[in-house]
Amino acid sequence: DAKTTQPTSMDCAEGRAANLPCNHSTISGNEYVYWYRQIHSQGPQYIIHGLKNNETNEMASLIITEDRKSSTLILPHATLRDTAVYYCIVRAGGTSYGKLTFGQGTILTVHP
Amino acid sequence: DTGVSQDPRHKITKRGQNVTFRCDPISEHNRLYWYRQTLGQGPEFLTYFQNEAQLEKSRLLSDRFSAERPKGSFSTLEIQRTEQGDSAMYLCASSLLGPGGAKNIQYFGAGTRLSVL
């Protein structure tokens, strides 16, 4: 799986959009970008994933650059409960691929 | 609650003792995964099952670790002769493998926190 690079930490004001970047310059054609987050003392929570098109769900939006070498997770209206570690993971599709390889993630702190 | 369930949530043991953790996946999920997470680090993959078959094991899974999923439903992770370095959060996840594999979304339990004294 391709390696990802994320900032160690970010801050965001409550009610504002949180934009979390991720670099994955060695991504290959069959690899998807997944985002998970982990709130303190809980298991990781799936947020969103995509291949090359932008994706949106009830939690967030995922913007993937045209060359697919980077992506941005957008939380449109951050709340205090969005304070967590956010992991960007690249993993191939296909039934033979199982594990997720987590990096250090980005610690997002949402301030009142 | 129909999420991934792990038991116990916390376990304190003495060095050298054996411990066993249980994971109940989301109903009908055919894949089950075990990860380990130490303080300040992201989760690290240990092993995973598709139904009852163990398909992959990490090098992290030493001979003291064994995982089973005998009937393709719940799974157990046993650690024999625990060491202080085994202290970590042990996370279980499950997924439903469908066509293509891309939507093989893993859903995690809350984890079992192991402390080896």
Side-chain angles (χ1 to χ4, degrees), chain B residues 9 12 27 33 40 43 73 76 78 92:
Chain B
R9 291 294 311 279
I12 300 174
S27 179
Y33 309 78
S73 56
T76 57
E78 180 183 18
C92 176

Side-chain angles (χ1 to χ4, degrees), chain B residues 3 10 17 22 35 37 43 48 56 58 67-68 83 99-101:
Chain B
H10 303 275
Q17 298 294 305
R22 177 181 170 121
Y35 292 81
Q37 185 174 27
Y48 85 95
E56 185 177 355
S58 162
E68 294 182 343
E83 302 172 356

Side-chain angles (χ1 to χ4, degrees), chain A residues 1-6 21-36 46 48-52 62-65 67-72 86-94 97-105, chain B residues 35 43 45 101-102 104-106:
Chain A
D1 296 331
K3 181 179 171 61
T4 62
T5 304
Q6 299 178 252
C22 179
N23 287 321
H24 31 79
S25 58
T26 61
I27 194 169
S28 59
N30 69 338
E31 289 183 316
Y32 290 73
V33 180
Y34 293 81
W35 282 84
Y36 279 76
Y46 167 77
I48 198 167
H49 78 286
L51 181 62
K52 52 185 175 182
L62 174 60
I63 308 299
I64 302 174
T65 59
D67 63 8
R68 304 210 317 124
K69 292 184 177 182
S70 66
S71 60
T72 301
Y86 286 77
Y87 296 100
C88 170
I89 300 165
V90 169
R91 194 196 72 181
Y97 298 95
K99 67 183 179 185
L100 295 170
T101 301
F102 290 80
Q104 300 276 49
Chain B
Y35 292 81
F45 169 78
N104 182 14
I105 305 300
Q106 294 182 29

Side-chain angles (χ1 to χ4, degrees), chain B residues 69-98:
Chain B
R69 194 183 184 201
K71 296 183 179 179
S73 56
F74 74 92
S75 175
T76 57
L77 178 67
E78 180 183 18
I79 308 174
Q80 296 182 327
R81 305 181 302 282
T82 53
E83 302 172 356
Q84 289 185 325
D86 297 331
S87 295
M89 174 78 85
Y90 290 84
L91 293 160
C92 176
S94 71
S95 68
L96 177 63
L97 183 66

Side-chain angles (χ1 to χ4, degrees), chain B residues 1-48:
Chain B
D1 184 10
T2 57
V4 177
S5 177
Q6 292 190 246
D7 184 70
R9 291 294 311 279
H10 303 275
K11 178 71 177 178
I12 300 174
T13 191
K14 294 182 179 179
R15 188 174 52 188
Q17 298 294 305
N18 299 343
V19 294
T20 301
F21 311 139
R22 177 181 170 121
C23 172
D24 287 273
I26 294 172
S27 179
E28 298 182 354
H29 275 194
N30 50 12
R31 283 196 170 178
L32 187 148
Y33 309 78
W34 286 99
Y35 292 81
R36 181 174 70 184
Q37 185 174 27
T38 54
L39 202 60
Q41 304 297 315
E44 296 174 293
F45 169 78
L46 291 178
T47 187
Y48 85 95

